[in-house]
Amino acid sequence: MSNSKVSTKNTLFETEQLEIDPFDADLLEAEISEISDSQTFLPNSSMLKTNISDMWVSDDLPCFMTMSLDIVESLFGLEARDQGEVALFELERDLAEQLDPGFGDIAPITGQTLLAALYGPLGFVGDWERFFSVDNCLMDRVLSRRQGIPVSMALLVLYLCERYGIRAEGISFPGHFLVRIFNEPDSDSEVSLESQVSSQIIDPFTGKVLSHHAIEQLLRGARGNLAKLTPQHLTSAEPLDVMLRLLTVTKAAFIHHQHFTHALMCSQLLLTLKPDCPLERRDRGFLYEQLECHELAVDDFEYFIEQCPEDPLADILKIQVAALDAMPHVLH
């Protein structure tokens, strides 16, 4: 395996950033190592620009569902977004029928009643069989299939909670995104490992409430048997961080299936949200390299080297930059 493939495997595909079952990490690593030099569609400037992401460059980000469908439109066009919006309308209609069947007085809608409908008669479920599929990341497909992975399912739960006035927040937990649902809409309780009265922590993959022990097991699965659960693991995720996680997982899914052009487009969107991030510039450089855009790869690698000179990978990338500079230039 060449130096470029080794460095790509060791940096671009960092499994702890992904929404994966730790049991499958070895399988992912094995498949990544088999990435070949097969021909791919090369990117051009129109592929890498999107009007959608212009709306993200503000202090007031759109809601989670809007941004999730923005990603769909950026990658696959307006028709795909329209299909997602139709599926969302059908879901909201079905959910309203489940929560308000029209028989007399209706009890207040709580997080538990919403989850019981969503993961019960409406048929939403985590997709264990095709966990790494892009279908589980893109919101139009999550809505139409009613299957997803923790972060995409969490985005849907957070959106529906907001629609019904239920206070909820995302938790960017290691290896497995979680959701906290508050029993009181105006609760200002601090984060607590033992807080079962004011809030409950939900696994969006199953819709079930997690016990303290179950959360500890998730942490140990992601970080090892010596990991200890602390309040910091359960702090609320900022909206920007939630979208960054969804985009990172979507990018990883495209890479997993060797769809490098779409992975590159995800990288462009990530850089819209954090334009000066040297790690994302480094990862985009690896994608450019896979697509034989060597000059663009060199630009990103040099930026990473300049910003992170003490990183162990910087010396490796210096050698790689020299090798790429010696190769014939390809115009795109």
Side-chain angles (χ1 to χ4, degrees):
M1 182 179 293
S2 68
N3 286 337
S4 66
K5 302 302 181 190
V6 171
S7 56
T8 301
K9 183 171 74 71
N10 289 339
T11 58
L12 187 54
F13 315 107
E14 296 172 350
T15 56
E16 73 171 3
Q17 296 180 10
L18 311 184
E19 296 292 323
I20 63 172
D21 181 348
F23 178 81
D24 290 325
D26 291 340
L27 174 62
L28 175 59
E29 187 78 4
E31 293 199 18
I32 288 167
S33 68
E34 295 175 358
I35 290 176
S36 67
D37 293 322
S38 59
Q39 291 185 345
T40 58
F41 291 106
L42 297 178
N44 56 46
S45 59
S46 63
M47 286 174 147
L48 302 181
K49 295 180 68 174
T50 170
N51 294 327
I52 290 297
S53 61
D54 293 342
M55 296 185 294
W56 295 3
V57 189
S58 69
D59 294 332
D60 187 18
L61 290 174
C63 76
F64 287 140
M65 185 58 64
T66 297
M67 293 187 75
S68 299
L69 292 174
D70 285 349
I71 294 171
V72 171
E73 181 177 346
S74 296
L75 293 170
F76 294 104
L78 187 58
E79 183 177 354
R81 185 197 185 100
D82 289 343
Q83 292 172 352
E85 291 179 343
V86 168
L88 179 61
F89 173 80
E90 292 174 349
L91 168 61
E92 292 192 75
R93 180 197 61 200
D94 294 345
L95 182 60
E97 291 176 354
Q98 288 293 326
L99 297 177
D100 184 3
F103 300 117
D105 294 333
I106 304 301
I109 296 171
T110 66
Q112 285 305 308
T113 57
L114 188 151
L115 292 171
L118 192 66
Y119 291 87
L122 296 184
F124 276 85
V125 64
D127 187 355
W128 286 107
E129 294 183 358
R130 301 175 63 233
F131 200 94
F132 301 112
S133 172
V134 175
D135 290 347
N136 289 324
C137 303
L138 298 172
M139 190 55 68
D140 61 323
R141 304 180 192 184
V142 172
L143 289 166
S144 63
R145 298 173 62 244
R146 304 201 170 187
Q147 294 185 27
I149 51 176
V151 67
S152 58
M153 300 283 279
L155 284 163
L156 177 60
V157 170
L158 291 170
Y159 167 77
L160 293 173
C161 283
E162 183 178 9
R163 292 279 288 173
Y164 283 91
I166 300 165
R167 186 184 169 201
E169 59 190 22
I171 301 172
S172 196
F173 196 77
H176 195 104
F177 201 88
L178 303 176
V179 172
R180 178 183 289 106
I181 295 182
F182 291 86
N183 298 327
E184 297 292 337
D186 58 352
S187 172
D188 292 320
S189 302
E190 293 183 359
V191 175
S192 170
L193 297 182
E194 307 296 339
S195 178
Q196 297 296 324
V197 175
S198 62
S199 67
Q200 294 175 315
I201 294 177
I202 309 299
D203 181 354
F205 200 61
T206 63
K208 295 180 179 179
V209 177
L210 292 175
S211 66
H212 182 281
H213 176 71
I215 298 171
E216 283 185 324
Q217 292 300 108
L218 283 176
L219 179 65
R220 290 169 183 166
R223 294 289 173 83
N225 289 332
L226 298 180
K228 289 190 175 182
L229 189 63
T230 68
Q232 285 68 37
H233 288 121
L234 299 175
T235 55
S236 172
E238 294 295 328
L240 178 61
D241 293 333
V242 179
M243 296 314 302
L244 289 172
R245 186 145 174 174
L246 176 65
L247 271 169
T248 299
V249 171
T250 305
K251 179 183 73 172
F254 280 123
I255 293 170
H256 180 66
H257 295 288
Q258 303 183 37
H259 298 164
F260 298 123
T261 297
H262 283 105
L264 178 59
M265 295 165 77
C266 289
S267 188
Q268 292 294 108
L269 292 172
L270 281 162
L271 284 165
T272 298
L273 295 174
K274 48 176 185 176
D276 299 322
C277 177
L279 298 179
E280 191 55 47
R281 286 286 297 271
R282 175 203 68 188
D283 287 359
R284 186 179 67 175
F286 285 123
L287 289 168
Y288 277 138
E289 185 181 6
Q290 291 288 342
L291 294 166
E292 299 183 2
C293 302
H294 298 146
E295 290 183 80
L296 297 175
V298 166
D299 288 343
D300 279 344
F301 290 156
E302 288 179 341
Y303 180 85
F304 174 79
I305 293 167
E306 178 182 347
Q307 297 297 316
C308 304
E310 302 303 319
D311 191 290
L313 190 61
D315 289 337
I316 296 175
L317 287 181
K318 289 177 184 177
I319 298 171
Q320 197 146 321
V321 164
L324 291 173
D325 278 338
M327 298 180 70
H329 291 171
V330 178
L331 299 178
H332 299 301

